Amino acid sequence: MKHVIIGAGVAGITAAKTIKELDRDAEVVVIGNEMFLPYKRYLLTEFLCGKVTQEDLIFFPMESLKELDIKLRRGESVKTIEPSKKSIKLLHNEIVNYDKLLIATGSVPKLGLVLRPYKNFIHYYYSLNDALVLKNKLPEIENCIVFGKGISCLDLISGLYNLGKQITYITKGKRAHFGLRESEFKVELHSFLEEKGIKIITEDRIVSIHKSNHRYRVETLREKNLTADVVFGWDRYKPNISCIKGTSIGKKSGILVNVRLETSEKDIYAAGDCVEIYHPCLKDYWINFGLPNALEQGTIAGKNMLGREEEYNIHETITFNLMGKSLKTRWWK
Ligand SMILES: Cc1cc2nc3c(=O)[nH]c(=O)nc-3n(C[C@H](O)[C@H](O)[C@H](O)COP(=O)(O)OP(=O)(O)OC[C@H]3O[C@@H](n4cnc5c(N)ncnc54)[C@H](O)[C@@H]3O)c2cc1C
């Protein structure tokens, strides 16, 4: 039986490991478009701050891949899926057949229409490559502008703060709010950040960015003119589902799955940040970003690809460490 997994992140690699641990004879191929060995994305800020080394980031070393006989094809991107032919097509047009397929392509930071023209001036912070580029630039960086929502924004702010950088955070909201659950701290967060020296601009947004003399001039809707050495931002995170475009695989913002992580197409599963799953309390589909979900969904998808019928139970919170304070947060919605 040939199991093909798209995406060498936590969900994809956990599924691959689960399959091989339960069935040594299964053929497992993981196709990932990053050049690195599978790494712990959630530790990128620790890496940026020099608290862990690049080696410490490795989630699954080469020896383990070899030991379990998992074939990892690094730096290769899946372009399309053909469920009727049980095959996928890679960017260089190679066709790979599968018996069972797992889509574990994670999410991507996205810019809205207003900021898209300035995308070359905005620094993303999602991959190890982003972190390596930033790490190289750090000595030249003093002032940073950060906009966007979500806990990874807070993670970045906390990292830049630990590195002694001056930070301006721009939010559309009335207060700095990153989806935290702990009600007390949720209210305190804005002043907590201000006390740490972070300048917060509320009810505003960036409308243009220009580069002059290695610095960036940022104009906001409320006509503030700011300058910075680097501008970070994204309007939102979106499940990365470009490889299912034009297929019959059911989707909303993410790939729709049932509790067994099966998609609408036979023998195709999905797990991790790219997934949208039915939430029985909300009575709607919901994207459940975060590491614990990716790990658990990877394990369940791997088992179910081998014919089991395990179900995934929704977890709504994840734990996050902010400048030494442990917080509970909802990653999404
Ligand atoms: C800075 C930062 C800090 C974070 N901190 C935390 C935290 O403290 N706690 C927490 O719970 N979560 C945290 N997260 C989120 C967590 O890292 C993600 O939820 C988790 O990595 C999701 O795992 P995944 O396997 O679903 O997706 P990913 O880790 O995104 O892996 C998906 C992989 O698939 C690849 N891929 C995509 N499309 C294709 C294609 N077509 N072909 C081939 N490969 C493809 C991608 O490049 C990527 O390598 C953080 C994220 C970031 C960016």
Side-chain angles (χ1 to χ4, degrees), residues 26-129:
E27 182 186 353
V28 176
V29 181
V30 183
I31 300 166
N33 59 9
E34 293 190 75
M35 292 306 294
F36 306 99
L37 278 171
Y39 62 89
K40 301 167 188 160
R41 202 175 293 282
Y42 62 93
L43 282 187
L44 284 181
T45 300
E46 268 79 351
F47 169 64
L48 185 70
C49 296
K51 291 186 185 155
V52 301
T53 65
Q54 191 168 339
E55 208 171 313
D56 296 328
L57 290 181
I58 296 174
F59 173 64
F60 212 66
M62 190 53 92
E63 304 82 68
S64 308
L65 290 165
K66 281 194 178 141
E67 204 179 297
L68 282 172
D69 190 24
I70 295 168
K71 185 171 177 198
L72 172 64
R73 296 182 58 168
R74 281 190 268 173
E76 294 189 10
S77 195
V78 175
K79 191 161 68 173
T80 49
I81 303 174
E82 288 229 36
S84 59
K85 294 186 182 157
K86 294 195 104 172
S87 69
I88 59 175
K89 194 190 262 187
L90 307 191
L91 205 57
H92 58 276
N93 287 335
E94 180 188 341
I95 308 276
V96 178
N97 295 307
Y98 64 82
D99 294 305
K100 304 269 177 176
L101 179 71
L102 174 67
I103 308 167
T105 44
S107 55
V108 271
K110 286 272 178 192
L111 290 176
L113 280 177
V114 177
L115 288 171
R116 241 169 263 172
Y118 308 105
K119 69 175 191 310
N120 292 340
F121 298 150
I122 296 172
H123 201 294
Y124 284 114
Y125 187 65
Y126 190 74
S127 65
L128 176 52
N129 197 50

Side-chain angles (χ1 to χ4, degrees), residues 169-176 190 200-205 220-222 224:
Y169 174 60
I170 302 175
T171 174
K172 290 181 199 166
K174 288 196 168 113
R175 303 179 65 76
H190 188 100
I200 305 177
I201 298 177
T202 56
E203 297 182 279
D204 208 350
R205 53 188 293 189
T220 72
L221 193 63
R222 291 178 166 239
K224 285 202 169 62

Side-chain angles (χ1 to χ4, degrees), residues 53-322:
T53 65
Q54 191 168 339
E55 208 171 313
D56 296 328
L57 290 181
I58 296 174
F59 173 64
F60 212 66
M62 190 53 92
E63 304 82 68
S64 308
L65 290 165
K66 281 194 178 141
E67 204 179 297
L68 282 172
D69 190 24
I70 295 168
K71 185 171 177 198
L72 172 64
R73 296 182 58 168
R74 281 190 268 173
E76 294 189 10
S77 195
V78 175
K79 191 161 68 173
T80 49
I81 303 174
E82 288 229 36
S84 59
K85 294 186 182 157
K86 294 195 104 172
S87 69
I88 59 175
K89 194 190 262 187
L90 307 191
L91 205 57
H92 58 276
N93 287 335
E94 180 188 341
I95 308 276
V96 178
N97 295 307
Y98 64 82
D99 294 305
K100 304 269 177 176
L101 179 71
L102 174 67
I103 308 167
T105 44
S107 55
V108 271
K110 286 272 178 192
L111 290 176
L113 280 177
V114 177
L115 288 171
R116 241 169 263 172
Y118 308 105
K119 69 175 191 310
N120 292 340
F121 298 150
I122 296 172
H123 201 294
Y124 284 114
Y125 187 65
Y126 190 74
S127 65
L128 176 52
N129 197 50
D130 297 337
L132 283 167
V133 172
L134 179 59
K135 214 171 162 66
N136 260 332
K137 277 196 198 158
L138 279 178
E140 303 151 30
I141 295 173
E142 214 176 292
N143 297 293
C144 320
I145 291 176
V146 181
F147 71 92
K149 44 187 185 177
I151 203 80
S152 59
C153 213
L154 188 54
D155 187 51
L156 172 64
I157 290 173
S158 139
L160 295 170
Y161 168 82
N162 287 327
L163 287 163
K165 308 298 176 193
Q166 283 173 26
I167 306 153
T168 302
Y169 174 60
I170 302 175
T171 174
K172 290 181 199 166
K174 288 196 168 113
R175 303 179 65 76
H177 167 63
F178 300 88
L180 293 178
R181 292 248 22 219
E182 285 180 12
S183 51
E184 209 181 290
F185 195 67
K186 199 164 116 183
V187 178
E188 285 171 21
L189 179 65
H190 188 100
S191 33
F192 174 83
L193 292 176
E194 281 186 329
E195 277 159 28
K196 295 274 177 194
I198 290 149
K199 185 175 169 197
I200 305 177
I201 298 177
T202 56
E203 297 182 279
D204 208 350
R205 53 188 293 189
I206 296 175
V207 287
S208 72
I209 307 173
H210 296 282
K211 194 175 179 184
S212 69
N213 297 332
H214 305 286
R215 300 205 83 207
Y216 296 93
R217 280 186 296 110
V218 168
E219 197 190 340
T220 72
L221 193 63
R222 291 178 166 239
E223 297 181 358
K224 285 202 169 62
N225 288 299
L226 309 162
T227 48
D229 302 306
V230 62
V231 181
F232 297 94
W234 48 88
D235 285 302
R236 61 200 165 124
Y237 276 103
K238 264 194 87 181
N240 187 352
I241 58 170
S242 55
C243 67
I244 71 160
K245 205 171 162 199
T247 72
S248 45
I249 299 169
K251 64 171 194 302
K252 280 174 81 180
S253 302
I255 300 170
L256 298 181
V257 291
N258 62 20
V259 284
R260 291 187 297 281
L261 304 177
E262 295 161 323
T263 68
S264 60
E265 286 296 324
K266 192 170 180 301
D267 295 329
I268 303 184
Y269 297 75
D273 282 4
C274 65
V275 149
E276 204 164 343
I277 192 163
Y278 190 74
H279 192 306
C281 301
L282 294 177
K283 295 199 180 7
D284 199 359
Y285 281 86
W286 133 295
I287 300 167
N288 215 189
F289 285 165
L291 174 78
N293 301 303
L295 279 169
E296 195 178 340
Q297 291 186 1
T299 308
I300 292 174
K303 288 180 178 172
N304 292 349
M305 287 164 83
L306 289 172
R308 301 201 181 179
E309 295 207 336
E310 291 212 4
E311 294 194 353
Y312 170 74
N313 292 313
I314 286 190
H315 304 286
E316 293 193 14
T317 55
I318 58 172
T319 304
F320 178 80
N321 191 303
L322 174 68

